[in-house]
């Protein structure tokens, strides 16, 4: 990616700004975000450095967020094929992702971890990490605070509610 997407009177958007492997297909979102930020920061003839600096900060933050999310897929992969094993072993974790993964060994991802103008919220992280077994051997302090029969009753209500919703959907 470009270190600075906006330099003087030139703004790089889309593939001219950078490329992140399309595991999550984020390119359209990144283009749309850059277009919105450009409109918000659209300069007069003076092209204030403060505008381009702020635009570049937004762009860099988004690229880092997408990079972290993609890296998390590879790092947490539980697939046995040689490609995925090699990816797991060879990937370098950015400090920002390493800090989050360490935190999530002690508490589940929550809204405060992903607040602000973010593409991925805590549900995205939960879904990826849960499906890859990241939480399998982790126990959390509040884990025993719900008694088992109440949890099972709640779970049954959720299953029934989901079934009613799905039954009401049109078929393909």
């Amino acid at each position: 990616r470009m270190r600075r997407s906006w330099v003087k009177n030139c703004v790089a958007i889309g593939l001219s700004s950078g490329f992140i492997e399309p595991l999550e297909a984020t390119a359209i979102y990144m283009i749309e975000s850059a277009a919105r930020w450009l409109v918000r920061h659209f300069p007069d003839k003076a092209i204030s450095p403060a505008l381009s600096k702020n635009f570049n900060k937004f762009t860099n933050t988004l690229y880092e967020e997408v990079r972290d999310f993609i890296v998390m897929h590879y790092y947490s992969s539980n697939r046995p094929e040689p490609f995925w094993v090699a990816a797991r072993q060879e990937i370098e974790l950015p400090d920002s992702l390493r800090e989050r993964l360490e935190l999530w060994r002690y508490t589940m991802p929550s809204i405060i971890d992903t607040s602000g103008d973010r593409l991925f919220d805590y549900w995205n992280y939960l879904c990826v990490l849960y499906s890859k077994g990241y939480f399998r051997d982790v126990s959390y302090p509040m884990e025993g605070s719900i008694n088992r029969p109440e949890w099972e009753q709640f779970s049954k209500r959720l299953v029934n509610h989901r079934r009613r919703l799905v039954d009401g959907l049109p078929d393909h």
Side-chain angles (χ1 to χ4, degrees):
R1 71 176 165 99
M2 304 292 292
R3 283 192 316 264
R4 295 178 298 151
S5 293
W6 184 342
V7 178
K8 297 183 181 180
N9 68 343
C10 294
V11 179
I13 292 178
L15 292 176
S16 64
S17 178
F19 176 76
I20 296 181
E21 192 249 303
L23 187 64
E24 281 290 330
T26 56
I28 293 172
Y29 177 86
M30 294 175 88
I31 291 167
E32 191 270 333
S33 293
R36 269 189 295 115
W37 296 333
L38 180 60
V39 168
R40 181 171 183 265
H41 293 83
F42 205 77
D44 59 11
K45 289 181 182 181
I47 308 175
S48 166
L51 294 173
S52 61
K53 181 180 177 182
N54 199 49
F55 178 91
N56 288 330
K57 183 181 84 168
F58 285 143
T59 303
N60 290 338
T61 299
L62 179 58
Y63 269 102
E64 288 167 7
E65 178 189 4
V66 172
R67 175 209 59 204
D68 285 3
F69 199 72
I70 298 297
V71 167
M72 183 185 65
H73 276 279
Y74 287 101
Y75 175 76
S76 64
S77 171
N78 53 1
R79 295 189 58 153
E81 296 88 355
F83 171 83
W84 291 99
V85 170
R88 229 183 355 261
Q89 293 171 347
E90 296 174 17
I91 198 141
E92 288 186 40
L93 288 181
D95 290 341
S96 50
L97 178 59
R98 183 182 316 283
E99 290 170 8
R100 283 183 169 185
L101 291 173
E102 178 63 23
L103 172 69
W104 295 335
R105 282 290 186 200
Y106 303 98
T107 184
M108 299 290 273
S110 74
I111 196 167
I112 60 173
D113 299 327
T114 57
S115 61
D117 189 18
R118 299 286 185 150
L119 171 56
F120 303 109
D121 69 11
Y122 69 101
W123 282 109
N124 298 110
Y125 290 94
L126 276 169
C127 289
V128 170
L129 292 172
Y130 185 75
S131 69
K132 295 175 183 291
Y134 187 79
F135 305 113
R136 185 174 300 125
D137 299 323
V138 178
S139 61
Y140 298 102
M142 297 298 290
E143 199 169 280
S145 64
I146 300 172
N147 84 30
R148 191 74 177 172
E150 287 179 11
W151 176 252
E152 288 171 358
Q153 184 180 23
F154 175 75
S155 296
K156 285 179 186 175
R157 285 197 316 263
L158 278 178
V159 167
N160 289 333
H161 180 66
R162 187 184 73 214
R163 188 175 298 122
R164 283 193 308 274
L165 290 174
V166 170
D167 289 346
L169 293 173
D171 62 15
H172 290 314

